[in-house]
Amino acid sequence: MHTVVERELEIGLVLSPQRSIPVPARLTYRTDDPYAVHITFHITSDKPVTWTFSRELLVDGAFRAAGEGDVRVFPGRDRGRPMVCIALSSPDGQALLMAPAAGLSAWLERTLRTVAPGAEREWLPLDEALRELLAPGA
């Protein structure tokens, strides 16, 4: 049986150094995809936008700058409050988001209790996939 750890969290989309707008987001971690986290942003488009990246990147970025390329995560502050900044880049544009560190960290802690770091491989259905692949008539 697989477990899903979710949390709704309001994340700030930074428009300028002085201005950001709140964006409702859903953080999702699934044991059937144990290395990844999924963040779904509910913006004013026809359908929500989901980004998927490494849980390890998010954990590391909560404490120090991590990542390169499309997803970078680093600690920050907004009006004195600790935040986790997530910089996203795609062919469609770039976005800087700021999540409250306490809410994000509490959710990450739940994911780490669900699947400990280093134990992700145990959750992958490798035996099932091999049986299917090697089954007669496959």
Side-chain angles (χ1 to χ4, degrees):
M1 176 173 30
H2 292 288
T3 301
V4 176
V5 180
E6 288 188 317
R7 175 163 190 166
E8 298 288 330
L9 191 63
E10 193 168 89
I11 295 178
L13 172 61
V14 178
L15 302 176
S16 73
Q18 297 80 27
R19 186 165 180 249
S20 65
I21 57 171
V23 176
R26 175 180 290 128
L27 309 171
T28 305
Y29 177 78
R30 300 188 319 254
T31 57
D32 63 343
D33 191 7
Y35 290 101
V37 293
H38 311 273
I39 302 179
T40 302
F41 301 101
H42 302 281
I43 56 177
T44 57
S45 61
D46 292 339
K47 57 184 177 177
V49 175
T50 300
W51 278 73
T52 301
F53 52 91
S54 160
R55 176 177 70 163
E56 182 179 16
L57 172 63
L58 193 56
V59 169
D60 288 349
F63 299 101
R64 63 188 164 280
E68 50 187 71
D70 294 347
V71 181
R72 293 179 294 117
V73 183
F74 50 94
R77 296 188 89 64
D78 182 34
R79 297 181 202 119
R81 291 182 21 221
M83 304 296 271
V84 176
C85 302
I86 304 168
L88 304 174
S89 179
S90 78
D92 294 328
Q94 298 178 349
L96 176 60
L97 302 143
M98 297 182 82
L104 184 67
S105 295
W107 173 77
L108 273 174
E109 180 61 34
R110 287 179 48 214
T111 75
L112 296 169
R113 282 195 311 267
T114 302
V115 176
E120 294 92 350
R121 185 174 182 172
E122 297 169 24
W123 287 85
L124 295 174
L126 297 178
D127 290 338
E128 292 171 27
L130 278 174
R131 267 193 299 276
E132 247 179 69
L133 186 62
L134 300 173

